[in-house]
Amino acid sequence: MATTEHGSHGPLSGVRVVELAGIGPGPFAAMLLADLGADVVRVDRPGGAGLGIDPAYDLTNRNKRSVLVDLKAEDGAARVLDLVERADILIEGYRPGVAERLGVGPDAALARNPRLVYGRMTGWGQDGPLAERAGHDIAYIALTGTLSMIGKPGEPPTVPANLVGDYAGGSLYLVVGVLAALQHARTPGGRGQVVDAAIVDGASHLAMMIHGMLAAGVWQDRRGSNLLDGGCPFYGTYETADGQYMAVGPLEQRFYEEFGRLLGIGDDAPDRSDIGRWEELRTVVADRFRTRTRAEWTEVFEGSDACVAPVLSLREAPHHPHLAARSTFVEHDGLTQPAPAPRFSATPVSVRRAPALPGADTAAVAADWGVPGIARPPEQDAG
């Protein structure tokens, strides 16, 4: 379904954000701010940021505008600082020291705009022994212990795409950080500051409950051995007759009783409270699920509180009746994509613009932000 423009673009309407182009968690954080109504101007560099896909399909650049600036040009930094002077937030994802060498580091930016919130997105953080090293999501979550929890015992850890590190431990913590800092900057006596968002910090923080359970002695420090990591036979996935999967999670006793009744295992199943018989119980449950297709089991559990759901693919998910009813996925300019989240009663949000194409909005930004110098074509820069 299509989205439409709202009179108010969301709760961050009026907030101005400068994003120094990069890949991964920085652009996603800027997209989230844009989804919530901020005017996000992405400063793209000639030649692109290196993601390797057609910019028209880079959904993390939706709801933004783009200008082209070569930061290595003689006046590149000055042109970006003209934007910074009029911004509330800046987001960059360079290695420590790179923004400073380019002339757009925190000192230069805050000198031009003392109330600026300068958001820095890295994997390792701005300091520490690994700060200067390259890395990607998998290394960050490996070091924090997060990766060690995911997968089956006796098998290599399962890689959870780059959701846990880049986006959960990185982007979301950066967004929380810059919005908290913006609130401070706008209070009487408040001022701008630097927000150091490191994926290793965020990914570690996400495991807070697990660390508490570990300290209490109710979590074993090995994967596939605990209540929530696949070790428990009533919290996991099971293959169906057609090679698809169902997700099972009836942790509470009353939900488990309904699950057992609908699955048809009844009193024949081993007592779920007997951990020593968990593998026996897992076999009983697995054997039952293999007797019907995913669609058939979905119908069996439909409308129940058994906490069972079909495991859908990325292409299937938008068509699920619940997600369709909530418009969890939307279509904009022919691209199906997750809708902005969360939702607001007074300041609704929407997908307003297709992914920003590099440099396509230079003239409009120059006029709206009052920075005519940004509109000079990049080919006139002296490299």
Side-chain angles (χ1 to χ4, degrees), residues 41-60:
V41 172
R42 177 177 168 94
V43 179
D44 279 298
R45 55 181 177 266
L51 184 59
I53 69 170
D54 184 337
Y57 294 92
D58 186 357
L59 292 172
T60 60

Side-chain angles (χ1 to χ4, degrees), residues 1 3 31 35 56-63 314 318 327-340 350-355:
M1 60 192 69
T3 57
M31 180 212 71
D35 282 354
Y57 294 92
D58 186 357
L59 292 172
T60 60
N61 284 329
R62 74 183 185 191
N63 285 340
L314 291 174
S327 298
T328 299
F329 291 84
V330 296
E331 183 178 312
H332 188 275
D333 280 1
L335 296 177
T336 299
Q337 56 199 275
S350 66
V351 180
R352 307 179 304 278
R353 301 172 60 93

Side-chain angles (χ1 to χ4, degrees), residues 246-265:
M246 298 293 290
V248 170
L251 295 176
E252 295 83 356
Q253 181 64 35
R254 66 185 186 278
F255 299 153
Y256 180 80
E257 290 172 359
E258 187 166 0
F259 165 72
R261 178 179 59 81
L262 292 173
L263 187 63
I265 56 176

Side-chain angles (χ1 to χ4, degrees), residues 12 15 33 87-91 110 113-120 172-197:
L12 295 184
V15 173
L33 295 173
D88 300 291
I89 297 169
L90 179 144
I91 287 176
L110 288 164
N113 183 353
R115 287 184 175 267
L116 178 74
V117 173
Y118 195 106
R120 314 198 81 169
L172 298 187
Y173 280 86
L174 176 60
V175 168
V176 170
V178 297
L179 292 181
L182 180 62
Q183 165 66 17
H184 170 73
R186 290 183 165 184
T187 58
R191 62 185 187 280
Q193 61 182 303
V194 177
V195 177
D196 175 4

Side-chain angles (χ1 to χ4, degrees), residues 96 122-128 130-132 196-201:
T122 61
W124 304 116
Q126 296 298 313
D127 52 32
L130 298 180
E132 300 294 332
D196 175 4
I199 293 172
V200 290
D201 296 343

Side-chain angles (χ1 to χ4, degrees), residues 351-376:
V351 180
R352 307 179 304 278
R353 301 172 60 93
L357 302 181
D361 309 293
T362 303
V365 171
D368 293 347
W369 284 41
V371 284
I374 205 77
R376 188 172 62 257

